[in-house]
Amino acid sequence: MSVSAAVTTAKGAGAISTIELAGDEALAILEKIFKPARKEKADFTIGSILVGTIAEAGHDIDQVAIGCEADRHFAIHCHGNPLIAEAIMKLLKKHNATLLTNEQFFSDISNTENNTIAIEAKIELANIKTLFATKLILNQANTGLVKSAKGWLKEAKNIEKIKAKAAAILKKSENARIMIAGCKAVIAGPANSGKSSLLNLLCGKDKAIVTDIEGTTRDYVAVEIVLENLFLELTDTAGIDEIPALKSDAIEKTSQKKSLGTLENADLVLFVLDSSKGDPQLQDRLIEAIADKKIIAVLNKSDLPSKLTKTSLPIRLDKVVSISIKTGEGIDALKEQILRICCVDELDIYEPIAFTPRQRGLLKQLSKINSADKANLLITELLKGQLNV
Ligand SMILES: Nc1nc2c(ncn2[C@@H]2O[C@H](COP(=O)(O)OP(=O)(O)OP(=O)(O)O)[C@@H](O)[C@H]2O)c(=O)[nH]1
Ligand SMILES: [Mg+2]
C-alpha cells in the first residue's frame, strides 16, 4: 500500500480537523491537489508549514495549512466542519489513498516511528476533553512513562525497584483514567429527591423534566460538563424505589432496570436523598449496584426542616454534602467534593501514568516479575511493542 490517510482529530469536536497522509505517494498526491498561497513552488521540507488551498477539478474545497511532519508523512489542517474533512478524504481516495481509522493509521506508521507510547498518545489525543488531560498525555511520550521505562532498562537487575514503581504507576493510572476519559457520574436515589433538578443545576440548562410528581424521570438524560480539570458525563436516572402508584407500571419497571444498568458503568454516584423526608427505604438491588463505587451522598432540600438521621442510612457515607438546589446552598461544596473524590489535585501532568489497556497490562506484569530478563522483555515491549488496535 503506497498511501494511507485518516482524520486524526475528534469528529465534529473542534474548529480544526486534521487529516494525516503517509506513504511513498503522499507527496505526489499533495502536489496534485494542493495550490500553495505563495506563487513559488511549494517546498515540502520536513518541519515546514504551507498555507494554501485543496482543490478538486479547479474548485476549491478549503483553505488549509499543511504540516510536513516527517519523511513522507503530512498533516492537512482544514476547517472543523466534518463535511470538509469528508470531502478531502473522498478526494484522497480518488487519488488511491487507502482511508483508515485514526487507530489503524497510527498502527500502520508505528513501525517507522519506533515509540509506541508516542503513537498511543497521538491516538488518545483525538478523544481527550480537557487541556489538563492533553498535557498529561503529551508528557508521557518523551518524559513521563517513556522516561521511567528507559530508566528501568538501565537497571533491569533491580527488579524489586521496578516492581514497586510499576505498581505505583498503575495505582495512579486509575485516577488518570478518569481525568483522561472523563468521569461517568450517575445521579441516583429515590424518586422525587431532586436528581433531575441537580442535573439541570450542574449543567446550567433545563435538560431534564422536573415536577413534584414521583417517578417523573423515566428515560435517562445525559449531559457533559467540565469542572475545572475534570470532564464529567453526568447522567440522571429514574428514581429507584417502590412507588405504590407505579408498582405495576411496566414503563416504570423498565426505567428502574435502566437506572441500575447505568449504575453498573458509573465511576461516581451522586446519591441524592430528600432530607426533608424520613429515612428512605432503599432497595437491596440499589445498595448492591453502588456498593463498590465512589459515592457522594447528597442530602438535598436543606431549605426544609430535616427529618433524615444520617447514621441510619444504609449506604456508605464517606462523603456527605448537604445542599439546597432551591437556594444554591452547598453547591460549591458539592463541586469540591466531586473534584476531591476524583483525586484531581493529586495528579501532576509530569508524572508517569499508563493511559492505554496495553500499557496497563504490561505494567501489571512488570509489578509481578521475578527475573531481570523478563523485566527487560516487558520494558522493551512497553517502549517499542505492537499497538493493540
Ligand atoms: N424545597 C426544595 N424543593 C426542591 C429542591 N430540589 C428539588 N426540589 C423539588 O423537588 C421536586 C422533585 O424534583 P425532581 O428534580 O423532579 O426530582 P427527581 O429526583 O428527579 O424525581 P424523579 O424523576 O421522580 O425520581 C420538584 O418539585 C423540585 O422543584 C430543593 O432544594 N428544595
Ligand atoms: Mg427526575
Side-chain angles (χ1 to χ4, degrees):
M1 180 189 57
S2 54
V3 181
S4 55
V7 179
T8 55
T9 40
K11 206 173 176 188
I16 288 180
S17 288
T18 299
I19 294 165
E20 296 199 36
L21 187 67
D24 293 342
E25 300 295 318
L27 181 57
I29 295 179
L30 282 180
E31 281 173 339
K32 284 181 202 151
I33 64 171
F34 176 68
K35 288 190 299 184
R38 294 172 70 131
K39 291 222 166 54
E40 56 266 36
K41 194 173 181 296
D43 173 10
F44 290 94
T45 312
I46 296 173
S48 333
I49 294 182
L50 308 169
V51 176
T53 310
I54 295 281
E56 179 177 21
H59 298 291
D60 291 354
I61 295 179
D62 194 19
Q63 280 191 320
V64 300
I66 295 185
C68 307
E69 304 276 299
D71 184 27
R72 287 163 288 176
H73 180 177
F74 304 91
I76 304 171
H77 306 287
C78 61
H79 288 97
N81 184 335
L83 295 173
I84 292 177
E86 202 181 311
I88 297 176
M89 288 292 273
K90 271 188 185 157
L91 179 61
L92 292 171
K93 192 173 176 199
K94 272 190 194 162
H95 287 273
N96 295 326
T98 305
L99 306 191
L100 302 175
T101 63
N102 186 14
E103 287 87 353
Q104 288 166 337
F105 177 82
F106 287 120
S107 169
D108 242 39
I109 64 166
S110 63
N111 294 337
T112 51
E113 304 238 341
N114 229 6
N115 177 348
T116 311
I117 295 169
I119 303 281
E120 286 170 315
K122 278 199 166 199
I123 294 172
E124 202 62 39
L125 284 177
N127 303 316
I128 281 175
K129 308 276 191 348
T130 66
L131 185 59
F132 177 89
T134 306
K135 289 181 189 167
L136 182 67
I137 293 288
L138 282 174
N139 280 335
Q140 302 310 315
N142 298 311
T143 53
L145 188 59
V146 166
K147 195 173 169 193
S148 296
K150 283 184 176 168
W152 299 340
L153 268 186
K154 286 186 196 143
E155 47 177 1
K157 285 199 173 72
N158 195 347
I159 58 174
E160 285 314 313
K161 187 174 167 189
I162 294 173
K163 277 163 85 165
K165 290 248 163 140
I169 293 177
L170 264 182
K171 205 165 163 218
K172 278 272 174 189
S173 302
E174 173 54 18
N175 295 337
R177 186 186 64 75
I178 288 181
M179 297 297 295
I180 294 163
C183 172
K184 287 188 181 17
V186 175
I187 306 179
N192 214 39
S193 57
K195 300 180 296 300
S196 303
S197 306
L198 181 60
L199 177 117
N200 290 344
L201 182 101
L202 288 174
C203 77
K205 290 182 196 145
D206 278 343
K207 283 276 186 183
I209 300 170
V210 170
T211 76
D212 55 3
I213 303 164
E214 292 193 341
T216 297
T217 302
R218 298 295 187 94
D219 210 349
Y220 62 83
V221 174
V223 294
E224 295 180 342
I225 61 168
V226 176
L227 269 190
E228 294 189 11
N229 288 329
L230 181 68
F231 177 85
L232 281 159
E233 190 188 298
L234 202 58
T235 307
D236 180 24
T237 58
I240 300 176
D241 54 3
E242 300 288 348
I243 307 163
L246 297 167
K247 249 183 183 170
S248 57
D249 181 334
I251 300 177
E252 185 62 20
K253 278 185 183 155
T254 312
S255 326
Q256 297 205 359
K257 224 174 171 181
K258 219 167 172 183
S259 296
L260 288 166
T262 313
L263 279 168
E264 246 172 55
N265 301 318
D267 297 310
L268 168 67
V269 178
L270 300 180
F271 198 82
V272 183
L273 293 166
D274 181 345
S275 63
S276 70
K277 277 191 176 169
D279 295 340
Q281 300 296 308
L282 300 179
Q283 290 185 12
D284 290 347
R285 56 187 184 148
L286 172 59
I287 296 168
E288 228 167 76
I290 60 175
D292 61 343
K293 306 283 178 191
K294 294 177 195 282
I295 302 174
I296 299 177
V298 183
L299 310 186
N300 187 29
K301 309 196 187 181
S302 65
D303 52 290
L304 301 173
S306 174
K307 288 193 189 148
L308 206 63
T309 49
K310 289 183 195 175
T311 45
S312 68
L313 286 176
I315 52 167
R316 265 184 10 244
L317 291 179
D318 345 335
K319 305 269 187 297
V320 184
V321 188
S322 231
I323 66 160
S324 165
I325 295 167
K326 194 172 174 185
T327 66
E329 190 208 331
I331 301 300
D332 285 344
L334 173 61
K335 288 180 182 170
E336 227 168 80
Q337 280 288 7
I338 293 173
L339 292 171
R340 208 173 303 153
I341 206 167
C342 292
C343 307
V344 170
D345 287 344
E346 288 173 24
L347 209 62
D348 188 299
I349 53 165
Y350 298 106
E351 63 189 311
I353 53 115
F355 58 91
T356 67
R358 183 193 79 91
Q359 296 166 6
R360 285 191 288 271
L362 288 166
L363 285 183
K364 205 167 177 185
Q365 292 183 55
L366 268 171
S367 68
K368 295 175 189 157
I369 37 155
N370 49 21
S371 82
D373 285 349
K374 181 76 184 163
N376 234 314
L377 270 176
L378 290 170
I379 300 164
T380 309
E381 177 72 21
L382 182 63
L383 289 167
K384 296 182 178 176
Q386 278 291 310
L387 285 179
N388 290 344
V389 293

